[in-house]
Amino acid sequence: MINHMQQVVIATRKRESEAVITALQDAGVLHLKPITGGPLNTGTLAGQDAQSRREDERLLARAESTISELGAYRPAPAPLPALTEWQGVIEGAAEPVSSLARQRQDLQSDLEAERTYGDTVQALARMTGGLDRSQRVGLVPFLLQPSDQLAELEAALREALPERYLLATEQVGQNRVGVIASLKSDRDLARAALSRVRLGELRLPGRFDQMPLSDAAQAMADIHANGAARQASLNALRDQLAQQYGPSLYAVRDALKDRVAVHDVRAVSARGKYSLVLQGYVPADRLPMLENTLNRLGDSVSAELHPVDEHHDHDVPVELVNNGYVKPFQLVMGMMSLPKYGSFDPTWVIAVFFPLFFGIIIADIGYGLLFLWFSMWLAGKARRNEGWDLSFFGAYVQPDALRNLSFVTSVMAGWTIVWGFLTGELFGTLGEHLGLFYQNNDLLNRLWGWTGVHWGEAAEHAHGLIPTLFPRLDTVHFSNIALIFSLIFGIVQVLWGWAIRIQMGIRHKDTAHTWEGIALAGGVLGLIMMSFASRAGKDFGALSLAHIGNPLVALMYLGFIAFIVGYILIIKKFPMLPIELLSQGSAVLSYSRIFAVGLVSAILAKLCSDVGWSLFEKIGLLGIIVGVLVGALLHFFVLALTLIGHIVQPLRLHMVEFLNPTGFNTETSPAYNPLRRLSPSTGATAQASLQRIPDAVSGSVK
């Protein structure tokens, strides 16, 4: 749910503002909102305040860049050096770290150059045989692609330099490398000949471009032989510097961020010659913490608290507060915008239905066990307070995020395993081949016969340990049932979304959105009932008024009447509502993705297992090994290709089909981000500063 907020306005003397802001940082509960307009100054700081801010930001940028060059993650907390030592700490670390960073960058450039040009340069050095050091001979190296014709180059050279050149080539990989030797005075003519046949001179990168070819070859040979060891040595030195300087750098960096935050608070506050006023929001459950802080400030501040008007106040921050099961799914919510303050928090809906839909789509015990193993691996890293370095994505996942991701993955795995038992799938049809699952037609007739579907007297494989209850791979008999089962979720969620729109409209006294919700909820209900009553359009005669006694027909007429009445009342504001009704009907049909994507997944898994099993049946004992290897590789390949789609489809159904009717995607609010201290609390020093504040700015905490 969305935490309830209170608005607060605080006024203090300008000369006492730093102590007040510091105390608010220690409290860590106030979300600031910029003050704009009014008789007091807002925005950019000036004078001594601006100079102080520039100096703090300069030091902060220096500390940040040094930490970035160290590549260090946050170490254990370290004591904060004295204020007078901060610049010395930063500069003392920056010089060796910057020097090391340059060495690592240069070595990396050399390694990349050697990987790209090493073989080519060695071939050129062999071909030139020391001519690269001649005072009279000039060399023009070049590369020939497989499609390039050497004869064309030779013809151009004979025309430009008759009998005044030498040409040599050598195969290197898929291409040929060549060099033209001529008098230095004729080198430009050789280059022109290359250009006429659409070839260019080979130029080496960086420092190698100015070297003779033999020296470049020797340098690249040295890099090839010793580059990896030198890189490891430099990396070890960087780790050593990170251990030496990292703790104090992080401590100073955090303290500087706190000082810059004080400047930022002043910039977004209203400032007079002698006073400063700031405003913000605080969650209702943290009001006592703010009040205690303000009470300790005594008469040095004047503060007012009042409830937030969720209908008219803008930019009210949002904090999501959910129970232990739902809270980890806020990680999934992080992929979407936050809800508007005073509206609907869909986190618990996603916590219930997202892993359920994922489980229905995958529905395989084997895959579910793999996901469960992955969740346990993530949980283990989180317990050891380790992050997950995804450097190839340019990301690092913190332990807290891993803990939430592990929980979400385990719930997804649980539903996948449950639905795997219902569908009788263990790595596709492997469970069926092993005799674990079988299709009991009598049981299926008792379970699903009421739908009009009838299985024969006996199945081809009628024996096993566990009967299949949801045989989605039986496309002959079960496809329609599985499709309708998926659409039921769409019926529930789309109608639910419009019910939320009605509720929000009534709550906010928004007549237009209330009637929009009534109209479209009624219209969608009417379309659904029409589909069921007419048996998907096979019997439109069943929709006449003569069949009004049929509850389906009665609900259809009531739904369409609600749509017509609502449309008439809001036609000026929403003239395209009938088109929107058709769109909402298709939104219900979108839930067929649960069936369709899941069936494709099951068929691919079945093919993987069937291929492996057939190898076992045809080859025998050796086939067991070959079949397991082939089947495992195919399963891994299929899962890797389809997994993202299996995650995205349930998310899309929630983000678009369910949340669009609620209005979730049209409005949002900023995240609750309170002013808080990063460095250790100043403690007694801050208290002493407060005690030195004279006289009062009259006021009280209300």
Side-chain angles (χ1 to χ4, degrees):
M1 67 177 184
I2 299 175
N3 206 359
H4 182 64
M5 293 284 171
Q6 290 273 326
Q7 189 171 22
V8 60
V9 179
I10 299 173
T12 185
R13 287 195 184 100
K14 193 173 182 181
R15 68 173 181 267
E16 299 155 1
S17 60
E18 183 169 355
V20 173
I21 296 170
T22 300
L24 292 173
Q25 282 180 320
D26 291 335
V29 297
L30 180 64
H31 176 103
L32 288 169
K33 178 182 178 181
I35 296 177
T36 56
L40 300 180
N41 294 325
T42 59
T44 306
L45 300 177
Q48 183 58 40
D49 288 341
Q51 177 61 32
S52 177
R53 178 175 187 168
R54 283 193 295 270
E55 180 61 22
D56 288 339
E57 288 180 336
R58 184 190 68 80
L59 282 176
L60 177 59
R62 184 73 160 151
E64 292 276 22
S65 63
T66 304
I67 289 173
S68 176
E69 289 174 341
L70 276 177
Y73 299 119
R74 179 176 288 276
L80 177 65
L83 176 61
T84 55
E85 300 175 4
W86 290 5
Q87 181 164 349
V89 168
I90 294 172
E91 295 301 334
E95 291 181 9
V97 170
S98 296
S99 175
L100 177 62
R102 286 192 295 272
Q103 293 179 56
R104 294 180 69 252
Q105 184 176 6
D106 291 343
L107 178 57
Q108 184 62 37
S109 298
D110 286 351
L111 288 169
E112 291 176 359
E114 193 281 327
R115 279 194 295 269
T116 305
Y117 296 99
D119 293 340
T120 298
V121 171
Q122 298 299 331
L124 288 171
R126 286 193 300 271
M127 285 187 288
T128 56
L131 284 176
D132 56 319
R133 297 183 180 278
S134 171
Q135 298 296 318
R136 300 183 59 197
V137 176
L139 302 176
V140 181
F142 61 92
L143 281 176
L144 282 171
Q145 303 292 332
S147 59
D148 294 328
Q149 297 297 322
L150 184 61
E152 293 182 4
L153 175 60
E154 290 178 333
L157 287 171
R158 283 196 299 271
E159 180 180 348
L161 299 167
E163 299 183 3
R164 299 202 312 276
Y165 73 93
L166 289 175
L167 175 64
T169 63
E170 184 176 318
Q171 189 74 28
V172 177
Q174 307 233 342
N175 301 318
R176 292 186 68 82
V177 60
V179 62
I180 303 169
S182 67
L183 294 174
K184 282 192 175 181
S185 58
D186 290 336
R187 187 160 53 183
D188 287 340
L189 294 175
R191 289 170 176 158
L194 275 177
S195 179
R196 280 199 295 275
V197 294
R198 297 175 300 281
L199 295 175
E201 182 180 3
L202 174 64
R203 303 298 297 267
L204 298 179
R207 65 190 181 96
F208 302 104
D209 187 45
Q210 303 302 320
M211 292 183 179
L213 286 172
S214 55
D215 291 349
Q218 180 60 43
M220 289 192 177
D222 178 65
I223 292 168
H224 181 77
N226 305 311
R230 282 157 55 191
Q231 189 175 49
S233 175
L234 291 177
N235 288 340
L237 180 57
R238 185 178 69 163
D239 293 340
Q240 181 182 342
L241 291 178
Q243 293 177 1
Q244 179 180 354
Y245 295 113
S248 57
L249 271 176
Y250 269 98
V252 172
R253 192 281 304 268
D254 290 347
L256 282 168
K257 279 192 171 184
D258 289 336
R259 285 175 62 88
V260 170
V262 173
H263 299 308
D264 291 340
V265 172
R266 287 176 174 151
V268 300
S269 303
R271 306 182 304 278
K273 187 174 182 181
Y274 303 107
S275 61
L276 181 140
V277 179
L278 53 92
Q279 68 173 348
Y281 300 93
V282 61
D285 58 352
R286 263 153 278 179
L287 271 178
M289 298 174 65
L290 179 64
E291 290 175 345
N292 289 337
T293 299
L294 295 176
N295 287 335
R296 286 198 301 271
L297 293 172
D299 292 336
S300 61
V301 297
S302 175
E304 290 186 359
L305 298 167
H306 58 82
V308 170
D309 183 352
E310 64 185 41
H311 308 301
H312 302 100
D313 285 354
H314 300 289
D315 297 326
V316 181
V318 164
E319 182 186 38
L320 303 181
V321 180
N322 293 294
N323 60 37
Y325 171 78
V326 176
K327 187 173 182 179
F329 284 88
Q330 291 177 193
L331 182 72
V332 181
M333 279 293 296
M335 302 173 66
M336 299 180 273
S337 57
L338 286 170
K340 178 73 174 174
Y341 181 80
S343 63
F344 171 70
D345 174 18
T347 309
W348 72 270
V349 179
I350 291 174
V352 171
F353 287 98
F354 168 68
L356 174 62
F357 290 173
F358 179 84
I360 295 173
I361 290 173
I362 300 289
D364 189 290
I365 297 172
Y367 291 165
L369 291 174
L370 290 177
F371 295 136
L372 186 61
W373 170 83
F374 179 62
S375 73
M376 294 172 65
W377 179 77
L378 293 175
K381 291 183 75 68
R383 279 194 303 271
R384 296 189 298 270
N385 202 35
E386 297 177 3
W388 189 11
D389 185 7
L390 298 173
S391 54
F392 51 91
F393 287 133
Y396 178 79
V397 186
Q398 298 289 344
D400 287 343
L402 282 184
R403 193 171 292 107
N404 291 333
L405 182 59
S406 169
F407 181 84
V408 172
T409 306
S410 64
V411 177
M412 295 163 64
W415 277 116
T416 302
I417 293 171
V418 168
W419 277 95
F421 276 103
L422 294 176
T423 59
E425 295 174 26
L426 171 67
F427 290 116
T429 53
L430 179 61
E432 182 180 336
H433 289 305
L434 294 174
L436 297 176
F437 294 100
Y438 73 104
Q439 185 169 306
N440 186 323
N441 287 353
D442 292 337
L443 177 60
L444 291 176
N445 284 325
R446 289 197 298 272
L447 282 175
W448 303 105
W450 59 274
T451 64
V453 176
H454 180 74
W455 280 267
E457 294 301 324
E460 183 179 351
H461 301 286
H463 301 286
L465 294 178
I466 305 171
T468 299
L469 305 180
F470 198 86
R472 62 176 178 176
L473 280 170
D474 185 357
T475 55
V476 175
H477 298 92
F478 203 71
S479 289
N480 286 338
I481 297 174
L483 177 60
I484 296 300
F485 175 78
S486 300
L487 292 178
I488 288 173
F489 290 111
I491 294 169
V492 171
Q493 286 206 337
V494 172
L495 290 177
W496 187 6
W498 285 111
I500 292 171
R501 171 58 68 91
I502 296 169
Q503 179 192 12
M504 291 295 104
I506 295 172
R507 179 177 173 182
H508 295 164
K509 300 179 181 179
D510 187 336
T511 305
H513 282 125
T514 300
W515 279 108
E516 179 195 17
I518 292 173
L520 286 174
V524 171
L525 178 64
L527 290 175
I528 294 168
M529 294 301 105
M530 182 175 69
S531 178
F532 278 109
S534 66
R535 293 184 299 155
K538 293 180 181 178
D539 183 12
F540 283 107
L543 305 179
S544 66
L545 287 173
H547 296 86
I548 197 67
N550 184 341
L552 298 178
V553 177
L555 286 173
M556 179 194 73
Y557 280 110
L558 287 175
F560 285 144
I561 289 171
F563 173 77
I564 293 170
V565 171
Y567 181 48
I568 291 173
L569 292 174
I570 58 173
I571 190 171
K572 290 184 178 179
K573 191 166 186 179
F574 300 104
M576 306 302 290
L577 211 60
I579 296 176
E580 178 64 20
L581 175 59
L582 297 177
S583 173
Q584 290 303 306
S586 66
V588 173
L589 295 177
S590 289
Y591 283 76
S592 62
R593 299 167 190 267
I594 299 174
F595 159 71
V597 176
L599 182 60
V600 170
S601 172
I603 291 173
L604 290 174
K606 175 181 182 300
L607 291 174
C608 294
S609 291
D610 287 351
V611 168
W613 192 264
S614 65
L615 289 173
F616 157 66
E617 290 180 330
K618 292 181 178 180
I619 303 178
L621 184 61
L622 179 62
I624 296 177
I625 300 174
V626 177
V628 168
L629 290 176
V630 171
L633 287 173
L634 289 175
H635 276 293
F636 176 79
F637 181 70
V638 167
L639 189 60
L641 286 179
T642 60
L643 180 59
I644 293 178
H646 298 338
I647 295 173
V648 168
Q649 292 301 338
L651 279 177
R652 184 193 182 281
L653 293 175
H654 285 88
M655 295 173 66
V656 179
E657 274 71 21
F658 172 62
L659 289 178
N660 268 350
T662 69
F664 178 91
N665 293 319
T666 58
E667 292 183 296
T668 186
S669 287
Y672 171 64
N673 183 25
L675 175 70
R676 55 165 59 98
R677 178 175 296 282
L678 295 177
S679 58
S681 174
T682 52
T685 303
Q687 187 62 32
S689 298
L690 295 175
Q691 289 173 353
R692 290 196 297 269
I693 296 176
D695 299 331
V697 174
S698 62
S700 61
V701 178
K702 299 181 181 179

